[in-house]
Amino acid sequence: MSQMNRRRALQLLGALGTTGLVAACGDDTEGGPAASPKSPIKIGLIAPQAGGLKAIGEEITNGFQLFLDLHDEKLGGHPVTLITADEGDGAKSAQAAVDGLLKQGALALTGVVNSAAMLGVRDMVEEARVPLIGSNASPSSLQSVVYIWRTSYVLDEAGRALGRYLKDRLPASSRVVMIMPENVGAPDVVRGFRQEFGASDPRIIGDVVWTTATLNPGKTAFVQDIRKARNRQPTAIFCFFAGDAGVEFVKQLRNEGYRGPVYAPGFLTEGAALDTLKNDALNIQTALNYSADLNNVANRVFASAYRKKHNISPTTYAMASYDAAQVLHQAIGLAGDNLNPQQVNLALGKLGQIDSPRGIWQFNQPRTPQQKWYLRQVQRDGQVLSNVVINELATLG
């Protein structure tokens, strides 16, 4: 093997693990028989390009592109053209994005941030028989699908992971108030939390306080609901927000004088949110399937490359999109040279364990990850705020 090949093998070993290396080395023909160039393919990526979820859309795009950067812009040995489309802010705009990508001949689709958008494109994807590797949105109501896979999570799992942990941790005198936006995903989180914590546990005070579901809230959008929650004299708050809405919720919660513990799925404090919230985010504890400080080979390669390129630590959104590229890479390699979407979809079902920055995971029967969940706390590292893993919570999925 040439010096160039040895460097390439080591790079791929770190990025993919042994399984990925074997598949990738099959593409390296230097020093062996000449191989015919593999046909170029198109992958369609759906993500919001404006609005309150724009930052998450950028992370998803960055994560997928980073995998391509580390693999010579190829998946399974095939040169890739990545076509992006704007998810918009709901089902109709996401449907238009999918329609456009299918018309351009995408072999597979990926992305999708908003749960409403995922439910909106479900039937289109199934009827087109083109695999969609969802890298964020994952409502539990998305069931009985054949062509939709998810590398992120199922929303009730974040609630389950925290509910199981807090059930044993919180004192009998605790008063937990739940505050959630009236959107597609929040009932999943609430159901998962109640399932593990105990639906009739007296430490849960009253019904859920439901707030507006806007992705671009104003400076007082949550104030009345926060005051309603505070009137119950909570000793802990369990909430579910993401993106700009998460930032505004925490700011308004602190402005209204609440200084007690806050627990949430990890999206509340992911990415740029910490830079905006600053001290308002300190000590918030969240459950998530990833943290940039996880100590494994795949994450050291991924996080280092991401920081080098973007000068910021990666989020779960970037990680799940990186993994979406990884599973497509492996499935396309298994599907053979005469590719079509149905062959790729069949190959996805044959994948075993994925060596991921989050740790080892694999697809379960509903086409979602069986994976570890981690408890993280916002802590200060010098002048920088970080989500720091303080415990493993559960393996779910």
Side-chain angles (χ1 to χ4, degrees), residues 288-300 303 307 319 356-359 372 374 376 387 389 391-392:
L288 204 58
N289 59 348
Y290 175 70
S291 184
D293 65 340
L294 288 175
N295 186 19
N296 61 64
V297 172
N299 190 48
R300 288 196 293 271
R307 291 185 183 107
M319 178 278 299
S356 164
R358 77 187 83 177
K372 288 183 179 179
Y374 305 93
R376 315 177 313 165
N387 291 293
V389 171
N391 205 351
E392 282 188 14

Side-chain angles (χ1 to χ4, degrees), residues 12 15 59 104 166 190 201 208 251 254 285 315 343 378:
L12 290 167
E59 288 276 333
Q104 293 182 70
L166 293 176
V190 172
D201 193 301
V208 177
K251 283 184 174 182
R254 299 309 193 197
Q285 292 191 359
T315 63
Q343 288 173 322
V378 178

Side-chain angles (χ1 to χ4, degrees), residues 63-299:
F64 200 96
Q65 183 58 58
L66 182 63
F67 189 91
L68 293 179
D69 292 347
L70 295 176
H71 294 80
D72 299 328
E73 305 297 319
K74 294 178 181 179
L75 293 177
H78 293 259
V80 172
T81 298
L82 184 63
I83 314 167
T84 59
D86 187 5
E87 177 182 321
D89 58 4
K92 288 186 177 180
S93 53
Q95 289 167 356
V98 168
D99 184 60
L101 293 171
L102 292 176
K103 287 178 178 176
Q104 293 182 70
L107 177 70
L109 307 173
T110 190
V112 188
V113 170
N114 194 330
S115 289
M118 179 63 85
L119 292 175
V121 304
R122 176 194 187 279
D123 290 345
M124 290 182 68
V125 171
E126 293 290 296
E127 290 170 8
R129 300 174 67 210
V130 172
L132 164 59
I133 318 300
S135 51
N136 189 60
S138 190
S140 63
S141 56
L142 186 68
Q143 297 179 356
S144 302
V145 290
V146 176
Y147 284 87
I148 299 178
W149 308 72
R150 286 158 280 175
T151 57
S152 51
Y153 48 79
V154 179
L155 270 177
D156 67 333
E157 293 172 356
R160 288 171 58 198
L162 272 173
R164 185 179 301 182
Y165 171 75
L166 293 176
K167 177 182 179 180
D168 298 327
R169 178 180 176 85
L170 294 182
S173 60
S174 296
R175 299 175 60 85
V176 180
V177 174
M178 295 187 287
I179 308 179
M180 304 277 162
E182 282 192 294
N183 60 22
V184 172
D188 288 344
V189 177
V190 172
R191 185 181 64 257
F193 184 81
R194 287 186 180 276
Q195 175 185 334
E196 296 291 341
F197 192 84
S200 60
D201 193 301
R203 292 174 292 181
I204 298 178
I205 307 301
D207 295 329
V208 177
V209 177
W210 296 104
T211 76
T212 177
T214 179
L215 301 177
N216 299 284
K219 302 298 182 183
T220 60
F222 304 117
V223 168
Q224 292 303 316
D225 298 311
I226 289 170
R227 290 174 180 173
K228 180 179 178 180
R230 291 208 68 207
N231 285 339
R232 300 180 188 178
Q233 299 180 319
T235 59
I237 282 177
F238 176 56
C239 61
F240 167 61
F241 294 90
D244 291 352
V247 169
E248 276 304 321
F249 174 77
V250 173
K251 283 184 174 182
Q252 291 170 39
L253 183 67
R254 299 309 193 197
N255 287 342
E256 287 298 306
Y258 179 79
R259 295 292 182 268
V262 175
Y263 303 98
F267 326 114
L268 183 68
T269 59
E270 274 295 88
L274 290 181
D275 293 334
T276 306
L277 287 171
K278 298 182 172 30
N279 287 341
D280 284 341
L282 274 173
N283 298 318
I284 289 177
Q285 292 191 359
T286 61
L288 204 58
N289 59 348
Y290 175 70
S291 184
D293 65 340
L294 288 175
N295 186 19
N296 61 64
V297 172
N299 190 48

